[in-house]
Amino acid sequence: MLQYIEVNGVVAEVVRTSRQKSATVKVDDGLVSIVIPEQLEVDQIYQLLDAKRHWIREKLILQREAMPVSAKSFISGEAFSYLGRNYRLKVQKGRFAPVKLIQGRLVATLPSGAEEPYMVRNTLVRWYKSHAEQKLQEKAERYAKIIGVEPKSVGIQTFKSRWGSCTAKGDVVFNWKIIMAPNRICDYVVVHELCHLIHHDHSPKFWKEVARVIPDYGERKEWLKQNAPSLEF
């Protein structure tokens, strides 16, 4: 179960692991996380985050400034796409809680004073990344059996200009933003990257393998090309 801690107006995701002997604070894509040993007390987590507060703030400011200008205002009533369907955002005040999809609305609960657009965006990104990781891993597992491949690992990442990658070692990574597209488009991206485990290029043999699983891949590829700008926020 995910745990979140709020310190100095910053919400951090707490990741406990038996593989970690000391704490590590990360700031990635505007999101703060702290990876800690399993038995570390909550008071110690607060102390660690408080001690790093200036460093965290500097990182957040730098990453926020580097983000492209968004067409979204991140206010209640705005629509956000998930698997091709639009859901309205509801921003409410209260003790921080991860975004939840409730009765067709994406509900973001933030402390008073923390409803700034970038804070709302950050909590939304957490939700999208979590769901993207789960859904894309499920799809990769299903299609890997159909294609006859076994990826070494499947994960998500933030890419600026591509939807996925496949390394020579068999690691498959997807851009989490693809989860905003309809299911059939997500399926195409998953199949595309898995087929690279057989053919590490875009040769006719590669596209033939993609077509074996998704005969109308050309239509889906064109949809992605035309609609890519809408899969941003």
Side-chain angles (χ1 to χ4, degrees), residues 128-139:
Y128 271 94
K129 282 188 170 183
S130 173
H131 283 70
E133 190 163 31
Q134 178 188 340
K135 291 290 184 182
L136 295 173
Q137 284 181 347
E138 289 173 358
K139 289 178 181 294

Side-chain angles (χ1 to χ4, degrees), residues 4 12 14 16 22 43-44 49 65-66 72 81 124 126-127 129 141 152 195 216 227 230:
Y4 296 92
V14 180
R16 295 181 181 271
S22 60
D43 287 347
Q44 291 176 280
L49 289 171
E65 290 176 345
K72 297 286 190 181
S81 180
L124 270 173
R126 289 185 193 276
W127 186 86
K129 282 188 170 183
E141 184 177 346
K152 182 180 177 183
C195 284
D216 66 340
N227 293 274
S230 68

Side-chain angles (χ1 to χ4, degrees), residues 24-169:
T24 303
V25 179
K26 300 177 181 179
V27 181
D28 180 42
D29 201 25
L31 306 178
V32 181
S33 62
I34 180 169
V35 185
I36 59 171
E38 280 185 320
Q39 304 307 318
L40 195 70
E41 298 291 336
V42 173
D43 287 347
Q44 291 176 280
I45 302 173
Y46 276 103
Q47 290 171 12
L48 287 165
L49 289 171
D50 185 58
K52 299 274 286 185
R53 65 185 183 279
H54 296 303
W55 178 85
I56 291 172
R57 286 287 184 187
E58 288 174 2
K59 285 285 186 182
L60 287 172
I61 290 170
L62 286 172
Q63 291 185 13
R64 194 164 74 224
E65 290 176 345
M67 287 179 186
V69 177
S70 176
K72 297 286 190 181
S73 299
F74 301 98
I75 57 175
S76 291
E78 266 192 312
F80 290 83
S81 180
Y82 172 63
L83 291 175
R85 179 180 172 186
N86 280 335
Y87 296 91
R88 296 289 175 180
L89 174 65
K90 180 181 180 181
V91 182
Q92 60 185 24
K93 295 180 182 179
R95 185 177 178 181
F96 174 81
V99 169
K100 293 182 176 65
L101 183 55
I102 303 174
Q103 296 179 343
R105 286 184 175 268
L106 289 166
V107 181
T109 307
L110 295 165
S112 182
E115 308 96 328
E116 294 182 52
Y118 80 94
M119 288 290 288
V120 179
R121 179 191 183 277
N122 288 356
T123 193
L124 270 173
V125 169
R126 289 185 193 276
W127 186 86
Y128 271 94
K129 282 188 170 183
S130 173
H131 283 70
E133 190 163 31
Q134 178 188 340
K135 291 290 184 182
L136 295 173
Q137 284 181 347
E138 289 173 358
K139 289 178 181 294
E141 184 177 346
R142 182 170 78 249
Y143 280 110
K145 293 176 182 177
I146 295 171
I147 298 168
V149 295
E150 290 185 20
K152 182 180 177 183
S153 67
V154 176
I156 59 166
Q157 198 172 316
T158 301
F159 292 119
K160 288 185 177 180
S161 58
R162 55 180 173 172
W163 297 109
S165 71
C166 175
T167 69
K169 293 182 179 179

